[in-house]
Amino acid sequence: MRDRLEVALVGFGLAGATFHAPLIASTPGLALRTVVSSDAGKVHAAYPQARVVADAEAAFADPAIDLVVVAAPNDAHAALARAALAAGKHVVVDKPFALDLAQATAVVEQAARARRLVSVFQNRRWDSDFLTLRALIAAGRLGDIAEFHSHFDRYRPQVADRWREHDLPGSGLWFDLGPHLLDQALRLFGPPQAVLADLGRQREGAKADDYFHVLLRYPRLRVHLHAGSLVPGSGLRFAVHGTRASFLKHGMDAQEEALRRGVAPGGAGWGVDPRPGELHIPAAAGALVEKVIGPNGDYGAYYRAVHAAIVRGEPLPVTPAEALEVMALIERAVRSSVERRELQSG
């Protein structure tokens, strides 16, 4: 396998244009050769050298393409991934991997038969705050964790006219943000014993879920995953409580905002957390508060690792088994919410 990989990006909406294209373009050894989009003008304004085709099959038929990145609407993920694998390409799929575990399993099995790599874009493993928290837990600074609260709240009172907020398969906040929060929890704590989920529609005129609260139950630990669309003032990202200390973090990782502003990834100051978290340590005179400056966020690490996996056989940054683990919990949480009961894992 040559060191330079030619990439086809399927989709140039929010995920494709804001996240994938700039990260691909900034990764040594990756070249954005083709973009599948109906808006050639939009693509060429940002990437004039890219070939633009309206049909994914035309991109997959190009023998020069090594890697296909699927950033289309969620209900097309599995079919596009399987078509790309059938054409002999390696595949990255934006989260969620598929609409359900059966679809996801079929993709993984096809990749194994084709002897091609498939991975899911879980960029928030490389958020600055998550990297900081993971290091604190690994170092034992928090002790044994009793409660883990992970929030991704927004204030978006108006329902937008976009597919993510329509009544469509794979739409809604749980399929949008749930994969991120689940993946982070699984990386820290492994699979839970049980899941209890509440997915709801809170905004006037909502056509898809715009709120979720999901409890993952472990023998001692309780993991709370939460997102809402009518939260103007909280700003909480993490509240993690252990036997030695608590870690509190407000504000979001800065990389998404920078990408939305068109800042090229990887430059000076990239991924610096503008609002570091705090470690609250019990003491006789009251809690000591320690500001925690962690590592910079680095979404580009995902694509560097994908390149290394394809070219040099190094481990994938997100494995098929990890992708299926997340999909199983996404599906189980939907069922839990519908049936209004806790469901055992496995």
Side-chain angles (χ1 to χ4, degrees):
M1 173 65 70
R2 61 186 184 278
D3 185 69
R4 175 185 165 101
L5 302 178
E6 302 289 333
V7 182
L9 173 62
V10 183
F12 204 70
L14 173 63
T18 303
F19 290 92
H20 293 281
L23 291 170
I24 292 166
S26 66
T27 300
L30 296 184
L32 185 59
R33 176 183 177 91
T34 302
V35 178
V36 179
S37 172
S38 59
D39 191 343
K42 179 182 176 182
V43 177
H44 284 145
Y47 303 95
Q49 80 290 350
R51 172 188 177 220
V52 181
V53 297
D55 176 48
E57 291 298 332
F60 301 164
D62 182 353
I65 295 296
D66 303 294
L67 171 65
V68 169
V69 176
V70 177
N74 295 346
D75 60 357
H77 284 188
L80 287 167
R82 296 192 67 178
L85 289 166
K89 316 303 183 185
H90 303 287
V91 177
V92 164
V93 185
D94 195 71
K95 56 76 201 168
F97 193 17
L99 294 183
D100 54 42
L101 183 59
Q103 283 189 356
T105 301
V107 172
V108 170
E109 290 175 346
Q110 183 168 344
R113 290 193 299 270
R115 297 185 179 181
R116 290 296 180 268
L117 300 182
V118 65
S119 181
V120 178
F121 183 62
Q122 287 288 6
N123 58 301
R124 292 197 175 274
R125 292 189 188 186
W126 292 272
D127 278 356
S128 176
D129 49 25
F130 181 69
L131 293 172
T132 300
L133 174 59
R134 196 168 190 176
L136 288 171
I137 292 174
R141 297 292 306 277
L142 304 180
D144 295 332
I145 308 300
E147 294 183 36
F148 178 85
H149 301 261
S150 178
H151 279 241
F152 210 128
D153 296 319
R154 297 163 167 172
Y155 183 61
R156 295 180 178 176
Q158 304 302 320
V159 177
D161 184 16
R162 57 179 190 152
W163 68 262
R164 292 182 188 276
E165 300 191 44
H166 290 174
D167 186 11
L168 298 170
S171 65
L173 206 59
W174 178 237
F175 271 85
D176 186 19
L177 300 181
H180 287 314
L181 303 192
L182 282 171
D183 183 73
Q184 289 183 337
L186 287 168
R187 302 288 64 76
L188 293 175
F189 308 118
Q193 291 180 321
V195 180
L196 178 63
D198 179 20
L199 315 183
R201 302 179 184 182
Q202 294 189 325
R203 293 175 299 172
E204 183 86 26
K207 300 175 183 177
D209 62 89
D210 56 12
Y211 163 93
F212 64 77
H213 190 90
V214 176
L215 171 65
L216 307 181
R217 182 167 59 80
Y218 296 77
R220 179 181 191 178
L221 168 69
R222 298 295 184 267
V223 168
H224 302 265
L225 309 179
H226 184 96
S229 302
L230 293 173
V231 187
S234 172
L236 178 67
R237 179 63 186 93
F238 290 117
V240 188
H241 307 297
T243 55
R244 292 183 180 174
S246 292
F247 176 71
L248 301 180
K249 176 65 175 72
H250 290 76
M252 299 302 298
D253 180 270
Q255 293 175 91
E256 178 175 348
E257 181 185 354
L259 288 167
R260 286 177 179 268
R261 290 189 284 109
V263 178
W270 180 264
V272 173
D273 194 334
R275 193 175 177 183
E278 296 177 341
L279 200 63
H280 291 244
I281 306 168
L288 300 175
V289 180
E290 174 186 327
K291 184 177 290 187
V292 183
I293 307 295
N296 292 358
D298 184 12
Y299 291 166
Y302 175 84
Y303 272 110
R304 294 195 299 274
V306 167
H307 176 270
I310 295 172
V311 173
R312 297 190 294 276
E314 296 184 15
L316 278 167
V318 182
T319 67
E322 291 168 347
L324 294 180
E325 193 175 35
V326 170
M327 280 306 311
L329 286 177
I330 289 173
E331 187 174 277
R332 192 165 292 117
V334 172
R335 183 181 159 203
S336 169
S337 182
V338 169
E339 298 180 5
R340 301 203 173 279
R341 66 186 180 96
E342 183 181 82
L343 297 177
Q344 299 296 308
S345 294

